[in-house]
Amino acid sequence: ANLARMLASSFSTEQRAVVDCEIAFVDQTTYAEFIMSLSNPSCSYVFGIEPLGGQAIIDFSLPIAYSFIDRQFGGTGANPPQEARQLTGIERNVMGKVVTRVLANLEATWEQLIKIQVSDAELEPNPEFMQAAAPSDTVLLIAFEVNSSHVSGLVNLCYPYFTLEPVMAFMTVQ
């Protein structure tokens, strides 16, 4: 819930408009099922989490990503491309700034439990190439519903179980 509030604030700043963000659902699934749920191309970033020693993924639904990009260039945020396509170099730069801010928020929310450092956030437009976990591995999926006046969609945060294992004893079910 803390992260949702921080994301709403960050997204509102990026969009220069009011953006609501709340937890849509929390689910336990397999890595393969998570990957199959993503669009291809996707706007997914794989990143490392130290000192936990594992990776995690944040995925922006394409309407959300295109909205950030459109707003950055003076549009309303309501003009997604007619068909899904990979992000261009310039669009990657825009989303890179959004992701940097989101991951800083993520680090801040973890601080009460453990000081983490997020590193090497890499865009992977083809979900099948993301190797954050084995297909049968259990993952924790936290989906955030993002709504603004022009767009709504999900931002998914996926933690492989083994990434969280070192801190499971300290975590309470929220």
Side-chain angles (χ1 to χ4, degrees):
N2 213 2
L3 182 58
R5 269 194 305 282
M6 293 172 96
L7 292 178
S9 174
S10 289
F11 292 165
S12 295
T13 302
E14 292 285 338
Q15 292 270 21
R16 297 181 303 283
V18 175
V19 177
D20 290 324
C21 182
E22 50 195 44
I23 296 175
F25 62 86
V26 177
D27 196 13
Q28 184 176 311
T29 184
T30 65
Y31 186 67
E33 284 175 355
F34 168 68
I35 293 300
M36 285 188 298
S37 75
L38 301 176
S39 64
N40 189 355
S42 72
C43 184
S44 302
Y45 292 80
V46 180
F47 57 93
I49 302 177
E50 295 303 332
L52 301 182
Q55 291 185 308
I57 296 169
I58 189 156
D59 169 72
F60 296 82
S61 68
L62 289 175
I64 297 292
Y66 291 138
S67 178
F68 280 123
I69 293 161
D70 190 47
R71 286 295 289 154
Q72 191 66 45
F73 294 107
T76 61
N79 303 311
Q82 292 304 308
E83 56 190 59
R85 56 166 175 72
Q86 288 192 19
L87 300 183
T88 65
I90 291 171
E91 291 170 338
R92 284 171 176 243
N93 286 345
V94 170
M95 282 308 295
K97 290 184 177 97
V98 172
V99 169
T100 299
R101 187 177 243 169
V102 167
L103 295 180
N105 289 339
L106 186 66
E107 285 179 350
T109 58
W110 271 88
E111 217 157 65
Q112 296 134 9
L113 184 64
I114 183 176
K115 185 160 178 47
I116 64 161
Q117 192 165 4
V118 172
S119 60
D120 304 326
E122 240 357 86
L123 174 67
E124 180 46 72
N126 185 340
E128 292 169 29
F129 294 152
M130 290 193 291
Q131 300 294 320
S136 61
D137 283 353
T138 300
V139 298
L140 175 66
L141 178 60
I142 306 168
F144 297 91
E145 176 76 40
V146 178
N147 291 298
S148 72
S149 54
H150 296 293
V151 68
S152 67
L154 292 178
V155 174
N156 294 309
L157 187 54
C158 172
Y159 292 107
Y161 181 77
F162 62 81
T163 297
L164 297 176
E165 212 165 17
V167 292
M168 282 305 231
F170 305 110
M171 296 174 83
T172 57
V173 177
Q174 294 290 324

